Amino acid sequence: MENQNNNQNNPNQNGGGPDNNRRRNNRFSWIICLVAALFVLFSFTYMSKQMEAGTLKEITYSEFIDLLEQGKLSAIEVQPDKERIVLTPVTGGVEYGGVGITYYTGYFPYDTGLQQRCEEAGIKYAATYTDKTVTILDIILSYVLPFVLIYVVMILLFRMLTKNGGMMGNVGKSNAKVYVEKETGITFKDVAGQDEAKESVTELVDFLHNPGKYTRIGAKLPKGALLVGPPGTGKTLLAKAVAGEAKVPFFSLSGSDFVEMFVGVGASRVRDLFKQAQSQAPCIVFIDEIDAIGKSRDSHYGNDEREQTLNQLLSEMDGFDTSKGIVILAATNRPEVLDKALLRPGRFDRRIIVDKPDLKGRLEILKVHAKNVLMHDSVDLEAIALATSGVVGSDLANMINEAAILAVKEGRTVVTQEDLFESVEVVVAGKEKKDRILGAEEKKIVAYHEIGHALVTAVEKKAEPVQKITIVPRTMGTLGYVMQVPEEEKYLMSKEELLTRLTTLLAGRAAEELVFGSVTTGAANDIEKATSIARAMVTQYGMSEKFGMMGLESVENRYLDGRPVLNCADETAAEIDHEVMGILDAAHKRAFSLLRENREPLDKLAAYLIEKETISGKEFMEIFKQAKEAGSEEENKTEIISSVAATEKL
């Protein structure tokens, strides 16, 4: 803290104090104004000369004498001070060059007989001489007035630039948008599916309303709370709900609002923000995407502006008095990159996880967004919540809106269950591509591929039931897909369930091999997902016999892409690849074996899907059971015939 304060108070450091910043910015503004004024003055002078030159045409003195002798001039005016002779052509006569304008000579020689020659030719002769006596008025007009005009223009430009916080006037000022309760209009009722997060921030609201019951026992208001979670889970919405419930001013800004090209501006804006907050306490300050200024400081690749801004934020959070009721809320998707000093107790005292909602949370979110939408009585939002595992709140709100739009498009006045399921598919897989028509052969391949996936789910006990099968192409690149809906929400998956998932994913490729004897590119996404699951089983879940419970990968950016990073030697990485390959090969062989044992149901279901293009899970199971029963009867008949034949032979 001592080093931070020294840096802040030493004007020789980068950025200096606020007075140095202000003086530097004023000098910069004056330089801009001066350059602009000079540019305007020189431009005006240059344009005046160009306009004057544009009305005249320069000829040589010998050409002038020729015009004089040929009688093509009616008058001349000698201007010795400008070293030129202005010529007036004869009206209606043949003019020099065929252009009826005034000519002048660019060179003025000493010609004593010029006036006599003009008198003999009947040409009017005039000479103008400029008095070169310098007066005070000439000095004022020539030297003083231009500088006065430049000064006036500079003042006007400076006022324009700094008016209402212009280009340089707002440097160092906070860009925080102040919301009050009546403007946000958001309360905890508008935030669903985040009960634990709401409970954590409810205490902050209660402390702002009733600080006495906490201070009596010796409790202090937490200085800050960090909202952490994936994008779209409602972190900003939750922060606005806190302000709406507390009925206090709400300062909202992004971390990038502090960062500018001038070193020291971010720190000045932090000071200005906390000064505003203290003047309107009790209040809530919300900093979205705080990782823009709160990244961990690195001595090798430092950034003076960002680090000074972070240092100032740390100092301000240590310095303000919590008894005034100032709460700092911040949100980020990347808590792992934040500086350790920012996360210690006394700054951001709480970390509130705003994660993807569970089944109950998704149902509550759907109810919140559906309360203003006309729904049919048969709508079952719980079924939609089951079908949207892993979906965040913003996507659920989008699904409700897409369903309402689809209902209007179809000419209905209420939203039906079919509209909701279609909206789920639109958000997940995109809209149907009606202009993409598959050929007969491709359609057959896609049908067998998708039925291969579905058939394994019907045979395997640990698989999730099928909701829908379609071979209608979608805008996100899918030629067909199988929609599975779990019977209940699961938070753990056993090794057997993961192996079943692998078998289901690879069953599409196995069906192509079994029926057509060749493979296509349609299994690319299945292979990618299967490889990711198998690798996680080996490196993260400890489900490999060879490596046991050894952790070989760690996950970075857990709330964003969740990209795994290997923590092992290159030789071990090669062995991991062999282990993953073995798991995938075993799952593929099992899928091929299951499909071969159920070849008759596979053919019947594929033929039905080719005809209908889209079938429900209920239709799928009915046809599958009928085919299995027919196959069992055929097997029984074969066994009976074989037994009778064997008896007769005896």
Side-chain angles (χ1 to χ4, degrees):
M1 287 307 303
E2 182 179 356
N3 292 333
Q4 296 172 5
N5 292 332
N6 289 340
N7 289 338
Q8 177 183 339
N9 297 324
N10 187 0
N12 296 325
Q13 297 291 333
N14 288 339
D19 294 335
N20 289 339
N21 289 335
R22 192 177 299 109
R23 285 193 295 268
R24 186 185 300 113
N25 295 333
N26 288 339
R27 287 197 299 270
F28 187 71
S29 301
W30 276 101
I31 291 173
I32 292 177
C33 294
L34 179 60
V35 171
L38 291 175
F39 177 77
V40 172
L41 183 62
F42 291 149
S43 298
F44 179 77
T45 304
Y46 176 77
M47 290 176 64
S48 298
K49 291 182 178 180
Q50 290 297 109
M51 291 175 63
E52 181 183 5
T55 62
L56 302 174
K57 182 177 180 180
E58 182 178 357
I59 62 175
T60 63
Y61 192 76
S62 60
E63 291 173 333
F64 157 64
I65 296 299
D66 292 339
L67 293 173
L68 182 66
E69 293 177 350
Q70 294 172 10
K72 294 182 179 180
L73 301 177
S74 61
I76 67 171
E77 181 182 351
V78 180
Q79 298 176 351
D81 56 323
K82 297 183 179 180
E83 294 187 348
R84 70 185 183 186
I85 303 174
V86 179
L87 316 177
T88 304
V90 176
T91 305
V94 179
E95 301 166 4
Y96 184 80
V99 181
I101 62 173
T102 303
Y103 304 100
Y104 78 100
T105 59
Y107 172 69
F108 180 72
Y110 182 73
D111 189 350
T112 56
L114 179 60
Q115 182 177 359
Q116 182 179 357
R117 193 179 305 175
C118 289
E119 291 176 355
E120 293 175 355
I123 298 173
K124 295 180 180 180
Y125 177 87
T128 57
Y129 296 91
T130 304
D131 186 5
K132 295 185 177 181
T133 304
V134 179
T135 63
I136 296 178
L137 181 61
D138 294 332
I139 296 175
I140 293 175
L141 293 177
S142 301
Y143 300 100
V144 178
L145 184 60
F147 286 99
V148 172
L149 292 176
I150 291 174
Y151 182 78
V152 171
V153 171
M154 288 174 60
I155 292 294
L156 294 176
L157 288 176
F158 182 77
R159 289 181 178 178
M160 289 174 61
L161 292 173
T162 57
K163 184 179 180 181
N164 297 326
M167 184 180 73
M168 299 299 296
N170 63 347
V171 172
K173 297 294 183 180
S174 174
N175 291 331
K177 298 177 182 178
V178 182
Y179 297 97
V180 295
E181 183 268 338
K182 64 179 182 180
E183 293 181 351
T184 60
I186 298 173
T187 63
F188 287 150
K189 294 180 180 179
D190 301 308
V191 183
Q194 301 293 343
D195 294 338
E196 295 78 11
K198 283 198 295 185
E199 183 179 350
S200 299
V201 295
T202 300
E203 297 173 4
L204 301 178
V205 175
D206 189 41
F207 203 115
L208 292 173
H209 282 166
N210 307 297
K213 66 179 182 181
Y214 291 92
T215 55
R216 272 196 301 271
I217 201 172
K220 296 181 180 179
L221 176 66
K223 286 190 175 181
L226 185 65
L227 306 177
V228 178
T233 52
K235 299 183 291 295
T236 304
L237 183 69
L238 184 61
K240 289 185 177 181
V242 172
E245 290 284 346
K247 297 181 175 62
V248 296
F250 179 59
F251 292 79
S252 174
L253 70 166
S254 175
S256 60
D257 291 337
F258 292 106
V259 182
E260 291 285 351
M261 62 179 292
F262 305 107
V263 176
V265 173
S268 177
R269 286 185 173 176
V270 171
R271 289 191 292 270
D272 180 64
L273 173 64
F274 277 85
K275 184 178 179 180
Q276 290 185 50
Q278 289 176 357
S279 65
Q280 298 196 39
C283 64
I284 293 173
V285 178
F286 176 60
I287 306 174
D288 199 6
E289 306 297 345
I290 195 174
D291 50 275
I293 58 171
K295 284 184 181 178
S296 181
R297 289 163 289 187
D298 191 345
S299 60
H300 299 290
Y301 303 99
N303 183 301
D304 290 339
E305 166 64 1
R306 183 174 56 79
E307 290 186 2
Q308 284 198 19
T309 305
L310 176 60
N311 289 337
Q312 188 63 44
L313 179 62
L314 297 175
S315 300
E316 293 290 345
M317 292 192 71
D318 275 342
F320 76 86
D321 187 5
T322 58
S323 63
K324 294 183 178 179
I326 301 177
V327 179
I328 311 297
L329 298 179
T332 182
N333 310 121
R334 302 189 296 166
E336 64 276 356
V337 305
L338 294 180
D339 195 88
K340 303 301 180 184
L342 196 64
L343 302 178
R344 73 162 177 80
R347 284 168 181 154
F348 283 104
D349 301 298
R350 290 188 176 186
R351 177 178 293 194
I352 301 173
I353 306 299
V354 189
D355 211 342
K356 294 181 179 180
D358 55 11
L359 175 61
K360 179 175 175 291
R362 292 196 299 275
L363 180 59
E364 292 176 354
I365 293 173
L366 288 171
K367 289 180 179 179
V368 167
H369 293 292
K371 64 182 179 181
N372 295 325
V373 179
L374 296 177
M375 295 284 180
H376 194 269
D377 294 338
S378 61
V379 167
D380 183 10
L381 293 178
E382 187 171 357
I384 304 300
L386 272 171
T388 53
S389 179
V391 175
V392 296
S394 59
D395 285 334
L396 293 172
N398 191 22
M399 290 174 184
I400 294 292
N401 187 56
E402 288 289 341
I405 293 174
L406 180 61
V408 174
K409 184 179 177 181
E410 296 295 331
R412 291 188 289 271
T413 57
V414 293
V415 176
T416 63
Q417 189 77 353
E418 290 75 16
D419 295 330
L420 290 170
F421 270 112
E422 177 64 23
S423 69
V424 172
E425 295 181 58
V426 167
V427 173
V428 174
K431 290 184 175 292
E432 293 184 1
K433 284 189 69 67
K434 298 179 181 180
D435 58 338
R436 180 175 295 177
I437 301 175
L438 298 178
E441 186 65 20
E442 284 189 341
K443 195 173 184 180
K444 186 177 180 181
I445 293 173
V446 175
Y448 270 99
H449 184 104
E450 302 304 333
I451 291 297
H453 289 308
L455 196 58
V456 170
T457 64
V459 175
E460 291 281 58
K461 295 180 180 179
K462 299 289 185 178
E464 297 174 347
V466 174
Q467 172 72 25
K468 179 181 180 180
I469 309 170
T470 181
I471 55 173
V472 177
R474 293 271 172 173
T475 55
M476 291 188 182
T478 58
L479 298 178
Y481 63 91
V482 177
M483 185 178 183
Q484 295 176 259
V485 178
E487 295 178 345
E488 59 182 6
E489 187 86 341
K490 288 188 177 181
Y491 303 99
L492 293 174
M493 292 192 72
S494 64
K495 183 178 180 180
E496 291 75 16
E497 289 172 334
L498 289 174
L499 291 175
T500 300
R501 180 65 177 155
L502 292 178
T503 305
T504 304
L505 286 169
L506 299 178
R509 168 60 65 85
E512 294 179 16
E513 294 175 337
L514 176 64
V515 178
F516 303 99
S518 63
V519 296
T520 66
T521 59
N525 187 251
D526 299 331
I527 294 173
E528 181 183 353
K529 291 180 179 178
T531 304
S532 177
I533 294 173
R535 179 172 289 275
M537 291 175 64
V538 175
T539 59
Q540 299 178 39
Y541 305 150
M543 295 180 179
S544 169
E545 295 181 1
K546 183 172 185 177
F547 295 102
M549 292 179 290
M550 182 179 181
L552 301 171
E553 280 183 345
S554 59
V555 178
E556 290 187 352
N557 296 333
R558 182 176 299 274
Y559 297 113
L560 292 175
D561 56 358
R563 182 173 59 89
V565 179
L566 279 173
N567 299 321
C568 60
D570 294 338
E571 295 81 1
T572 307
E575 294 179 6
I576 291 172
D577 292 338
H578 288 295
E579 190 74 8
V580 172
M581 191 183 302
I583 294 175
L584 294 174
D585 186 58
H588 175 257
K589 288 179 179 178
R590 176 165 176 76
F592 191 88
S593 175
L594 291 173
L595 294 176
R596 185 171 53 190
E597 294 173 2
N598 295 273
R599 178 59 189 270
E600 186 175 352
L602 177 66
D603 293 333
K604 289 185 178 181
L605 286 164
Y608 187 75
L609 182 59
I610 292 172
E611 179 186 355
K612 299 293 185 181
E613 291 190 342
T614 300
I615 61 176
S616 65
K618 185 178 180 181
E619 292 176 295
F620 166 76
M621 289 305 300
E622 289 176 355
I623 298 173
F624 175 72
K625 290 178 181 178
Q626 291 174 3
K628 289 292 290 183
E629 291 174 357
S632 299
E633 292 177 359
E634 194 68 29
E635 289 178 2
N636 292 334
K637 289 180 181 179
T638 303
E639 290 178 0
I640 292 172
I641 293 172
S642 300
S643 300
V644 171
T647 303
E648 290 177 350
K649 187 176 181 180
L650 292 173

